Amino acid sequence: GQQLNQSPQSMFIQEGEDVSMNCTSSSIFNTWLWYKQDPGEGPVLLIALYKAGELTSNGRLTAQFGITRKDSFLNISASIPSDVGIYFCAGGSAGGTSYGKLTFGQGTILTVHP
Amino acid sequence: ETGVTQTPRHLVMGMTNKKSLKCEQHLGHNAMYWYKQSAKKPLELMFVYNFKEQTENNSVPSRFSPECPNSSHLFLHLHTLQPEDSALYLCASSLTGVNQPQHFGDGTRLSIL
């Protein structure tokens, strides 16, 4: 089956620093999604990418759909304490279905020290 | 995000109990999903429903039985679970079609004694 390698697994940074995480795969995806999960809550969609090479921002967050369609990265600029959480990438593909299937990365645990 | 609501939020049950998890979405979506989230593992897709029809069963043991009476409601009936079934169970919904992002509920934290 399809697999995503998300790195790093965890990050410990100081408030104000920039953050970068990425996902890679041996498979091609049609969509890349980035989610954040806070403790005790479900994943919340941050950014959705639909075209190879697409670069999209959402406030301090910027994500890119890799040109090969096999990777994506997420950058967070000027981190703040509320950025703490687990960040997941997800690759979407048709997979022979009409609804699309998401394959999730293992997650990046972000800790921000004030 | 309150578009997808899951109840209960926490559930403790014995291995011989029968219980059900409920999911309701208010987003006008027509596809609904059950995922299992265990520590240090990627989200595992369990079931997919499109317009109330089950379109995916990802080799889930029969002790998990899904039900989708309409496009807004999804249930997961639990029976004779094992300790390794303890996990966070997440419901998601989306519009039908490839490339539609999924929106998640806050999950039910299930503990099997």
Side-chain angles (χ1 to χ4, degrees):
Chain A
Q2 294 174 316
Q3 286 188 320
L4 291 182
N5 295 311
Q6 184 171 351
S7 65
Q9 289 188 0
S10 60
M11 301 182 74
F12 298 83
I13 62 170
Q14 291 292 127
E15 183 177 358
E17 290 184 3
D18 296 342
V19 172
S20 184
M21 61 191 78
N22 69 83
C23 277
T24 60
S25 175
S26 58
S27 303
I28 289 175
F29 290 100
N30 299 324
T31 312
W32 282 96
L33 307 172
W34 285 92
Y35 289 87
K36 181 192 177 194
Q37 186 173 22
D38 291 328
E41 299 183 13
V44 174
L45 182 66
L46 298 174
I47 293 179
L49 302 160
Y50 298 103
K51 287 169 31 176
E54 180 180 356
L55 184 71
T56 296
S57 294
N58 178 7
R60 294 178 296 106
L61 277 61
T62 301
Q64 184 157 29
F65 192 143
I67 201 73
T68 64
R69 295 168 61 193
K70 294 182 179 180
D71 63 332
S72 177
F73 72 74
L74 175 71
N75 287 343
I76 305 173
S77 63
S79 58
I80 59 179
S82 61
D83 290 334
V84 165
I86 305 176
Y87 291 79
F88 292 97
C89 63
S93 62
T97 70
S98 62
Y99 56 84
K101 297 181 67 171
L102 291 184
T103 301
F104 284 85
Q106 304 97 318
T108 295
I109 302 171
L110 179 63
T111 303
V112 180
H113 295 288
Chain B
E1 191 170 289
T2 57
V4 181
T5 304
Q6 290 187 244
T7 56
R9 293 296 311 277
H10 302 273
L11 179 62
V12 180
M13 57 187 285
M15 289 191 285
T16 59
N17 291 158
K18 288 184 182 180
K19 296 286 185 183
S20 296
L21 310 185
K22 179 183 176 182
C23 176
E24 184 174 359
Q25 60 94 3
H26 306 277
L27 300 170
H29 292 163
N30 34 45
M32 298 189 77
Y33 312 78
W34 279 118
Y35 286 88
K36 177 182 180 183
Q37 187 176 34
S38 304
K40 299 184 180 180
K41 293 175 73 173
L43 272 71
E44 300 172 52
L45 179 65
M46 300 174 71
F47 301 103
V48 182
Y49 278 81
N50 259 299
F51 292 101
K52 304 187 300 178
E53 299 297 320
Q54 186 180 126
T55 52
E56 178 114 4
N57 176 339
N58 204 20
S59 302
V60 180
S62 60
R63 57 186 184 269
F64 294 92
S65 175
E67 178 190 1
C68 188
N70 54 63
S71 293
S72 299
H73 294 86
L74 184 65
F75 296 89
L76 188 62
H77 304 299
L78 316 172
H79 175 51
T80 322
L81 296 193
Q82 304 299 308
E84 61 265 28
D85 297 324
S86 297
L88 181 68
Y89 288 85
L90 290 163
C91 172
S93 71
S94 73
L95 292 171
T96 295
V98 178
N99 298 336
Q100 296 295 335
Q102 295 174 21
H103 298 263
F104 287 83
D106 286 335
T108 295
R109 174 68 62 185
L110 178 64
S111 299
I112 305 301
L113 300 179

